[in-house]
Amino acid sequence: MKNRFKRAIALTEQIGYDDISEQLKNALDALNADTYKIAVVGEFKAGKSSLINRVFLKEDILFTDIMEATAVPTEICYGKERLLEVIPYLTAFDKRPHLSANHTTAPIEMSEGEEESLRIPEPDIEIVKAHTTGDTPEKRSELAGKTARVRLHWPAGNLFGLTLFDTPGINSVNEAVIATTYRIIPEADLVLFVTTAKQLSNVEMEFLSNRVFSEGITRAITVVTSDAEDDTLSDDRKKHLLKSIQSQLANIGRENLPVEMVTIRNRLSDEIPTVTFKERVDH
């Protein structure tokens, strides 16, 4: 199919039908854009953005912080040119109180539809930061309420065939922020669950049970991040920790869920060959 498109494009260019040729090129781009979607989720400070920076982008472009950072889902895909698209909602969050049947406040609702994107060529880390996070909970909530998502096109070979979603932390206290994470998950072919070098918390276990697997997601992998300078984790302790997490996952019926430990702090990492993600969860 793709070869036929290419031949048709060449022929239309030869006979001078540039407008038709451009339409065919757009159709071919859309065909090539059929990618495997990975939602990168976990608590804030777990290392989600750092993992994407260092394993996939090979460069620190997504903003990271010791405090809660990501407020808006960042869709990351391959592009020949560096480009940031900011995609706002048609309308903002409805901030009026919503009462459920038992008269308690229900989760606030997100508006439907997205507007045309604002395109920013050659974005740097400060531009990405300005459109994906805020310095205060109020600013993060406001940003999450008006921005559907941002899309980052980046010329990194590790992104071929993949679309990543960097999401806000699942333990955010901000309803508007966490709602954006819940919205992204059903779109994913794979959930990459990122956690720090510890046993999974109750929040993490509940999230996996009620927000991932209950959504029909059957493909997932758990990535345990560690600090390159942390010398307290011996090989034996690492093995014990991974077995402990596997036991926790077995308790919710996910004993076959892959668990990997990755060192991503303070240096670029080659530890995860991205091609293995789909292979690992398909077997």
Side-chain angles (χ1 to χ4, degrees):
M1 175 67 74
K2 293 180 182 179
N3 287 334
R4 291 176 183 175
F5 265 105
K6 291 177 181 178
R7 286 198 296 270
I9 290 170
L11 286 172
T12 54
E13 287 179 342
Q14 287 176 10
I15 60 179
Y17 290 127
D18 293 338
D19 55 340
I20 298 176
S21 175
E22 190 63 29
Q23 292 177 31
L24 290 173
K25 287 179 180 179
N26 291 336
L28 180 59
D29 287 343
L31 187 63
N32 290 331
D34 185 17
T35 61
Y36 195 74
K37 297 180 179 179
I38 301 176
V40 183
V41 300
E43 295 184 336
F44 66 80
K45 294 195 297 183
K48 300 185 300 298
S49 298
S50 294
L51 184 144
I52 294 173
N53 279 339
R54 304 191 175 220
V55 175
F56 294 93
L57 297 175
K58 296 297 183 182
E59 170 171 4
D60 289 333
I61 188 66
L62 300 180
F63 177 68
T64 60
D65 194 7
I66 59 172
M67 302 301 292
E68 183 177 355
T70 306
V72 174
T74 305
E75 183 178 332
I76 303 152
C77 57
Y78 178 81
K80 293 180 181 179
E81 304 294 335
R82 300 182 180 196
L83 174 70
L84 184 70
E85 293 183 87
V86 182
I87 307 165
Y89 287 113
L90 286 172
T91 56
F93 267 100
D94 183 353
K95 295 185 178 180
R96 294 171 300 175
H98 294 271
L99 297 181
S100 60
N102 61 359
H103 302 292
T104 60
T105 301
I108 78 180
E109 299 294 332
M110 188 174 292
S111 60
E112 296 293 332
E114 298 178 357
E115 291 186 358
E116 292 187 7
S117 63
L118 168 66
R119 297 168 65 86
I120 305 172
E122 297 296 328
D124 59 20
I125 189 171
E126 291 302 321
I127 290 175
V128 173
K129 175 183 176 181
H131 291 283
T132 59
T133 190
D135 297 331
T136 66
E138 293 76 19
K139 289 181 179 179
R140 288 191 290 272
S141 178
E142 180 183 358
L143 193 62
K146 68 181 183 181
T147 307
R149 69 182 80 195
V150 299
R151 184 179 296 121
L152 181 65
H153 303 261
W154 208 255
N158 283 344
L159 293 173
F160 276 127
L162 299 176
T163 297
L164 305 178
F165 294 91
D166 186 25
T167 61
I170 63 172
N171 53 337
S172 173
V173 297
N174 191 310
E175 288 183 340
V177 170
I178 198 169
T180 62
T181 297
Y182 293 164
R183 177 175 57 83
I184 289 295
I185 290 172
E187 299 182 24
D189 298 305
L190 165 70
V191 166
L192 189 62
F193 186 77
V194 182
T195 185
T196 53
K198 60 177 179 52
Q199 285 193 321
L200 299 180
S201 67
N202 291 335
V203 171
E204 290 173 309
M205 292 292 289
E206 182 179 358
F207 174 81
L208 286 171
S209 295
N210 299 331
R211 292 294 182 174
V212 175
F213 304 127
S214 65
E215 292 287 348
I217 302 294
T218 58
R219 292 182 172 90
I221 182 170
T222 298
V223 174
V224 182
T225 61
S226 65
D227 194 320
E229 297 180 356
D230 184 1
D231 58 1
T232 63
L233 279 177
S234 64
D235 288 343
D236 286 342
R237 288 193 62 183
K238 289 178 181 178
K239 291 178 182 178
H240 182 269
L241 176 61
L242 295 182
K243 286 183 179 180
S244 179
I245 292 174
Q246 288 169 334
S247 295
Q248 288 182 285
L249 295 171
N251 289 335
I252 57 174
R254 301 291 166 173
E255 59 275 0
N256 295 322
L257 192 73
V259 180
E260 304 281 356
M261 178 169 283
V262 180
T263 302
I264 63 171
R265 312 287 184 175
N266 301 323
R267 66 182 181 89
L268 297 180
S269 174
D270 292 309
E271 290 192 30
I272 299 183
T274 59
V275 67
T276 65
F277 284 137
K278 187 173 184 299
E279 295 172 351
R280 286 295 308 277
V281 296
D282 278 347
H283 292 85

